Amino acid sequence: MKIYTAKGAGFCFGVKRAIDIAFKVAEEHHGGVYTLGPIIHNPQVIDELKSMGVNPVNNVSSLRGKKVGSVIVRTHGVTKQVMKNLHDKGYNVVDATCPYVKKAQYYAKLLKDEGYQVVVLGSKEHPEVKGIMSFAGRNAVVVKDAGELPKLKKKVGVVVQTTRHVDSLKELLGAIVGQTRELKVYNTLCSSTTQRLKETRELAKNVDVMVIVGGKNSANTTQLANLCRSLEVPTHHIETASELRKKWFEGARKVAISAGASTPDWLIKDVENKIKTYRRLGN
Ligand code: F3S
């Protein structure tokens, strides 16, 4: 049985940067460090950070009554109101928002200031999209695909949630062109996500079993698993090697492993090593 691991599997630039920031702040402060929401969608990394005194809270009001050393804003970013609230309360804010997400926020504001109605392609409930929307003005709309587009104004500007698929952007733009006079687009897709999806698709097309490693609550990891399933290859989305089952690999000649942007290398390596033991047992 051959085992392939996606070259781009694991931490992306933005997540690596945020984790490095969190560990550095933890070392300097020795407690009283909070993240607004989990810093990444990976329970194993969150547990490691907790052991160093970095704890997630759901919102700013949850910080009330706590001795706060620093508050870390995670890769997804926050709304501008939340950022203001943190500063107004006098907290030491450490901004670990991914620079690519910052760019999407910046372009949303630019489009609004230039008089465009901003259309954000993304998931309404996703924290990144909520943050972008806070810069996009009152006329802004979020759509998850072209089918959700309302009647638009004459000048339309588009930004995209960084982790969407390029095909959904193409489809959206095609639909907008039909109903507006002026269209300005900032392609804020993250190339790391696009590359990861492309590589995973290629692997899935050529193997008998796909294993996707990463948090069950991670949107980009789930997106990878769904992509593989859509190609009708048996796919298993797991968080750790302990979830692997030997029977998944019976009769398989080729297996591939991919992982979301929030999955640490050591978890991927664990999975790879455990699958190798099945190979030794006779596959
Ligand atoms: Fe940033 Fe792209 Fe990662 S937007 S957090 S580098 S997936």
Side-chain angles (χ1 to χ4, degrees), residues 59-68 89 91:
N59 45 45
V60 183
S61 50
S62 310
L63 294 166
R64 208 178 298 138
K66 290 187 163 58
K67 190 175 169 292
V68 180
K89 289 196 158 34
Y91 296 132

Side-chain angles (χ1 to χ4, degrees), residues 4-240:
Y4 304 90
T5 300
K7 288 193 191 73
F11 284 175
C12 61
F13 150 78
V15 167
K16 188 170 181 322
R17 178 177 169 274
I19 299 293
D20 287 349
I21 290 173
F23 278 110
K24 188 162 178 283
V25 175
E27 276 168 21
E28 284 165 2
H29 284 264
H30 305 293
V33 180
Y34 295 91
T35 61
L36 275 188
I39 191 138
I40 58 166
H41 286 143
N42 186 279
Q44 290 72 30
V45 176
I46 297 297
D47 285 347
E48 201 181 336
L49 281 165
K50 276 186 187 164
S51 73
M52 295 181 69
V54 181
N55 286 291
V57 290
N58 289 335
N59 45 45
V60 183
S61 50
S62 310
L63 294 166
R64 208 178 298 138
K66 290 187 163 58
K67 190 175 169 292
V68 180
S70 286
V71 182
I72 304 175
V73 172
R74 59 187 175 166
T75 52
H76 302 317
V78 290
T79 64
K80 64 177 184 185
Q81 295 82 2
V82 167
M83 192 59 100
K84 181 173 181 309
N85 198 0
L86 287 170
H87 285 293
D88 287 351
K89 289 196 158 34
Y91 296 132
N92 178 41
V93 180
V94 181
D95 190 356
T97 307
C98 175
Y100 296 138
V101 174
K102 280 269 185 209
K103 221 184 230 181
Q105 295 176 347
Y106 168 79
Y107 285 134
K109 180 174 183 316
L110 192 67
L111 287 167
K112 179 205 77 174
D113 291 346
E114 289 175 348
Y116 290 89
Q117 179 184 20
V118 180
V119 174
V120 180
L121 174 63
S123 310
K124 250 187 212 87
E125 298 310 320
H126 196 283
E128 177 190 328
V129 173
K130 288 183 181 170
I132 295 170
M133 281 298 281
S134 71
F135 290 89
R138 274 185 304 149
N139 290 328
V141 289
V142 187
V143 294
K144 75 170 182 339
D145 54 38
E148 279 193 359
L149 273 177
K151 191 171 175 332
L152 297 170
K153 304 211 177 292
K154 286 184 184 135
K155 278 179 75 170
V156 172
V158 175
V159 292
V160 199
Q161 183 182 349
T162 51
T163 48
R164 298 306 273 204
H165 199 287
V166 69
D167 289 346
S168 60
L169 176 59
K170 287 181 189 167
E171 193 196 348
L172 180 81
L173 297 180
I176 295 178
V177 162
Q179 63 152 317
T180 191
R181 289 244 185 91
E182 192 179 330
L183 173 61
K184 193 163 183 176
V185 183
Y186 284 106
N187 180 352
T188 50
L189 285 171
C190 164
S191 57
S192 140
T193 305
T194 310
Q195 193 49 38
R196 188 187 307 267
L197 283 163
K198 194 170 160 214
E199 195 187 4
T200 303
R201 180 195 294 272
E202 284 313 307
L203 284 170
K205 282 200 284 195
N206 292 297
V207 297
D208 305 306
V209 180
M210 279 300 296
V211 177
I212 305 294
V213 192
K216 300 264 163 70
N217 58 349
S218 155
N220 79 84
T221 311
T222 306
Q223 189 182 22
L224 290 177
N226 289 341
L227 167 72
C228 298
R229 287 187 187 115
S230 75
L231 297 168
E232 294 182 0
V233 55
T235 301
H236 304 281
H237 177 177
I238 57 170
E239 287 187 351
T240 65

